[in-house]
């Protein structure tokens, strides 16, 4: 059942991304383009998504998950170097192409060679990320 | 153009409902980069079927819906150097930060996670700067 739920969630997530316009790279780049033709759509998408999620987080306080033993524990609140460096690199790439991981997968079937190129590069990046992390840790301990 | 925000709000609510279902049923956080990344680097081997099922749904179903709608525009740039650089940055960055727009943004902010809020601040800030530099200053995108 967990596998079935995962498929339904992926499908629903993808349809939401498509309807909201987030598979259109102009939307993400328009949101980030504060000195150009600024497009506020992404704020509405975020706002619309945060409301059901906030309700779900509230429900986790009094209920048990249906197909699991317990809910994920609260994250370590520590703001590490990797969080800051990683988010900065991610943002730079997001601005460049207008794609982040969810929409990149959702638009893969109609994104042409360009979308496929981005996807292959993204998977390569994910593959080398553990080595980049180790290298950053080495640099931090060396200094 | 003027009704785009309504589609944004409806689509956003659907995304949030998807995340809520994954949390309440499977006790998992709907972060696209974490789910894909775990398949790529082998860290998600123990639950690879769930991860693969989610990626399959995310890939197949929007494709079918787009086809029924008569196609959907992504407006992806034709500059392959930009696409490769951007893909590498997104891949490395989201894995280093342990999350992207869905994990840190949607799922993190909604539980008032400080990490999610800080990450979102940095990737939006860097994204804005990236557009200023590469579009307005250098003119490559």
């Amino acid at each position: 059942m967990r596998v079935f739920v995962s498929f339904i969630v992926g499908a629903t997530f993808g349809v939401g991304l498509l309807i909201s316009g987030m598979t259109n790279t102009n939307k993400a780049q328009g949101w980030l383009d504060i000195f150009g033709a600024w497009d506020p759509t992404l704020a509405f998408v975020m706002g619309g998504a945060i409301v059901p999620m906030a309700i779900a987080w509230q429900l986790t306080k009094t209920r048990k998950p249906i197909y699991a033993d317990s809910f994920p524990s609260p994250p370590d609140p520590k703001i590490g170097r990797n969080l800051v460096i990683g988010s900065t690199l991610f943002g730079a790439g997001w601005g460049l192409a207008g794609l982040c991981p969810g929409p990149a997968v959702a638009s893969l079937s109609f994104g042409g060679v360009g979308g496929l190129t981005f996807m292959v590069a993204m998977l390569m990046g994910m593959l080398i990320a553990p080595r980049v992390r180790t290298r950053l840790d080495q640099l931090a301990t060396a200094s | 153009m003027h009704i785009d925000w309504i589609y944004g709000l409806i689509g956003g609510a659907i995304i949030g409902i998807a995340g809520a279902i994954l949390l309440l049923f499977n006790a998992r956080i709907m972060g696209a980069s974490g789910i894909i990344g775990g398949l790529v680097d082998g860290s998600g081997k123990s639950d690879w079927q769930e991860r693969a099922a989610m990626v399959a749904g995310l890939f197949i179903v929007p494709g079918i819906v787009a086809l029924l709608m008569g196609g959907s525009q992504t407006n992806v740039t034709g500059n392959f150097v930009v696409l490769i650089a951007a893909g590498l940055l997104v891949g490395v960055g989201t894995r280093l930060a342990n999350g992207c727009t869905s994990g840190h943004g949607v799922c993190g902010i909604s539980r008032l996670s400080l990490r999610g809020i800080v990450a979102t601040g940095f990737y939006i800030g860097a994204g804005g700067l990236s557009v200023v530099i590469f579009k307005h200053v250098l003119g490559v995108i």
Side-chain angles (χ1 to χ4, degrees), chain A residues 93 97 117-119 121-123 125, chain B residues 82-92:
Chain A
T117 305
F118 177 88
M119 175 60 64
M122 185 182 88
L123 295 178
Chain B
V82 166
L83 283 170
I84 292 168
L88 286 171
L89 285 167
V90 171
V92 171

Side-chain angles (χ1 to χ4, degrees), chain B residues 54-125:
Chain B
M54 206 192 111
V55 174
L58 184 58
F59 168 67
I60 297 165
V61 177
I64 295 170
V65 175
L67 202 65
L68 294 175
M69 294 190 326
S72 185
Q73 286 298 320
T74 57
N75 298 304
V76 175
T77 174
N79 185 330
F80 286 91
V81 177
V82 166
L83 283 170
I84 292 168
L88 286 171
L89 285 167
V90 171
V92 171
T94 53
R95 291 303 281 159
L96 267 187
N98 263 327
C100 57
T101 339
S102 47
H104 279 316
V106 175
C107 299
I109 293 175
S110 62
R111 82 195 295 198
L112 300 175
S113 151
L114 186 60
R115 279 174 58 85
I117 294 164
V118 169
T120 304
F122 273 96
Y123 67 67
I124 289 180

Side-chain angles (χ1 to χ4, degrees), chain A residues 1-27 29 31-39 41-42 44-50 52-54 56-57 59-60 64-68 70-80 82-97 99-102 105-115 117-118 121-130 132-133 136, chain B residues 1 4-34 36-37 40-41 47 49-51 53-66 69 71-77 80 82-102 104-111 113-116 118-120 122-132 134-136 140-141:
Chain A
M1 275 313 285
R2 287 178 58 96
V3 173
F4 177 71
V5 169
S6 300
F7 181 83
I8 296 298
V9 166
T12 311
F13 181 22
V15 171
L17 287 170
L18 185 68
I19 291 175
S20 66
M22 291 299 109
T23 51
N24 179 353
T25 57
N26 288 354
K27 285 279 162 200
Q29 285 178 325
W31 156 260
L32 294 170
D33 193 4
I34 41 171
F35 296 113
W38 189 64
D39 184 334
T41 309
L42 192 136
F44 289 95
V45 181
M46 272 285 184
I50 283 170
M53 267 318 289
W57 282 119
L59 290 173
T60 64
K64 286 264 166 215
I66 296 174
Y67 299 122
S70 58
F71 284 114
S73 48
D76 181 0
K78 200 171 148 281
I79 307 299
N82 286 343
L83 184 83
V84 172
I85 297 174
S87 296
T88 304
L89 295 178
F90 162 44
W94 188 37
L96 262 178
L99 283 170
C100 50
V105 176
S107 67
L108 194 58
S109 61
F110 51 88
V113 187
T117 305
F118 177 88
M122 185 182 88
L123 295 178
M124 293 301 292
M126 287 180 166
L127 198 63
I128 62 167
V132 175
R133 183 189 293 264
L136 283 173
Chain B
M1 185 67 200
D4 280 7
W5 67 271
I6 300 176
Y7 285 113
L9 206 57
I10 295 168
I14 294 171
I15 295 166
I17 290 166
I21 294 172
L22 194 66
L23 180 65
L24 296 174
F25 281 73
N26 288 9
R28 281 291 151 86
I29 291 165
M30 191 182 75
S33 60
I36 304 163
V40 174
D41 65 18
D47 56 358
Q49 287 162 311
E50 290 172 29
R51 291 168 186 267
M54 206 192 111
V55 174
L58 184 58
F59 168 67
I60 297 165
V61 177
I64 295 170
V65 175
M69 294 190 326
S72 185
Q73 286 298 320
T74 57
N75 298 304
V76 175
T77 174
F80 286 91
V82 166
L83 283 170
I84 292 168
L88 286 171
L89 285 167
V90 171
V92 171
T94 53
R95 291 303 281 159
L96 267 187
N98 263 327
C100 57
T101 339
S102 47
H104 279 316
V106 175
C107 299
I109 293 175
S110 62
R111 82 195 295 198
S113 151
L114 186 60
R115 279 174 58 85
V118 169
T120 304
F122 273 96
Y123 67 67
I124 289 180
L129 201 62
S130 179
V131 169
V132 168
F134 293 105
K135 183 177 177 183
H136 298 295
V140 292
I141 55 172

